[in-house]
Amino acid sequence: MKSQGVDYLLLVYLKERAIQSHYALPIDSVVEVYAKQLEGWPSMAVNGSDAQLWFYQEATERHAECVRHVHAAAVPLATISGKTDPSTGESAAVKTVLAEIERRLQQEAFKNRLGEKYGWRCAVSGNEVREVLDVAHLPGRDWRQHNTVEDGVLLRADLHRLLDSGLATLRDGKFCIEEKALCDHYVDFNGRPIR
């Protein structure tokens, strides 16, 4: 990963979809930290189905002291970004990163629900290439509160951008494109029912 320009590994512990803890480790220290964990925590770290770097453990769990290796090597997100809110002394970067993690987790779950509903096909174009499918919230819906299948539609990325930019709308169960965007192949999608 270092060769690809990655300098830090962000570890996030979720419990009931809420972020409980997070740490950023320099990529160069990940292998060393994991080796230290294996020395002191062989039953937990080795017997899992996948190799894992443990950084959070309930205090009541045996061997919980092994997480200290991660804590010792961790770098604050504020240090990485160099951004701190001067009025509170709190890191604006930490809040930004955690909000982005929460948003991405919510969006991934939302996308999976909509993907199942729409059979992993764009509701307008019928495109089945998952890599270009986005979840689009319906007008008046917000990702923080509205993430049920009734709150969105699965769209091809360019059609989603038309919707977000106001160049398309959803009216009466149809995808309607504004006059100035009626060009090229978008003409074919104007007025098409949402499937």
Side-chain angles (χ1 to χ4, degrees):
M1 290 199 303
K2 184 79 172 177
S3 64
Q4 297 171 339
V6 176
D7 294 322
Y8 296 93
L9 173 68
L10 180 62
L11 304 167
V12 178
Y13 174 69
L14 296 171
K15 187 173 183 180
E16 297 175 10
R17 297 188 136 183
I19 296 171
Q20 301 294 312
S21 182
H22 66 279
Y23 291 93
L25 287 182
I27 286 295
D28 295 336
S29 69
V30 171
V31 172
E32 177 186 339
V33 168
Y34 185 61
K36 287 179 181 177
Q37 285 191 336
L38 287 176
E39 290 171 11
W41 200 355
S43 62
M44 292 293 284
V46 176
N47 291 335
S49 58
D50 295 318
Q52 296 181 27
L53 184 65
W54 294 88
F55 71 100
Y56 184 87
Q57 196 70 20
E58 299 292 341
T60 56
E61 296 277 339
R62 287 183 41 206
H63 307 298
E65 72 278 359
C66 278
V67 299
R68 68 183 160 77
H69 299 299
V70 172
H71 298 196
V75 177
L77 292 177
T79 301
I80 295 169
S81 69
K83 296 179 182 177
T84 303
D85 182 343
S87 64
T88 64
E90 292 181 346
S91 169
V94 171
K95 292 177 184 176
T96 301
V97 168
L98 294 179
E100 180 63 15
I101 290 168
E102 179 187 1
R103 185 187 72 77
R104 287 180 184 230
L105 291 169
Q106 292 280 351
Q107 287 299 98
E108 192 61 31
F110 187 42
K111 184 175 184 175
N112 287 332
R113 287 191 291 275
L114 283 172
E116 290 173 16
K117 175 183 178 179
Y118 288 99
W120 291 102
R121 297 173 69 98
C122 172
V124 173
S125 70
N127 186 300
E128 296 179 348
V129 180
R130 285 190 187 198
E131 290 80 5
V132 299
L133 296 177
D134 284 348
V135 291
H137 279 87
L138 297 175
R141 306 301 204 289
D142 181 273
W143 70 266
R144 288 176 185 85
Q145 302 167 5
H146 306 104
N147 290 304
T148 67
V149 292
E150 293 79 24
D151 295 320
V153 63
L154 196 64
L155 294 176
R156 198 173 70 190
D158 60 329
L159 299 177
H160 184 193
R161 283 181 184 71
L162 285 174
L163 189 65
D164 282 352
S165 66
L167 293 172
T169 58
L170 302 174
R171 289 192 298 257
D172 301 320
K174 294 180 180 176
F175 191 79
C176 301
I177 299 176
E178 298 299 316
E179 186 71 33
K180 68 180 185 179
L182 283 175
C183 58
D184 300 327
H185 67 278
Y186 292 133
V187 172
D188 298 336
F189 300 124
N190 188 34
R192 191 174 280 188
I194 302 292
R195 298 177 255 158

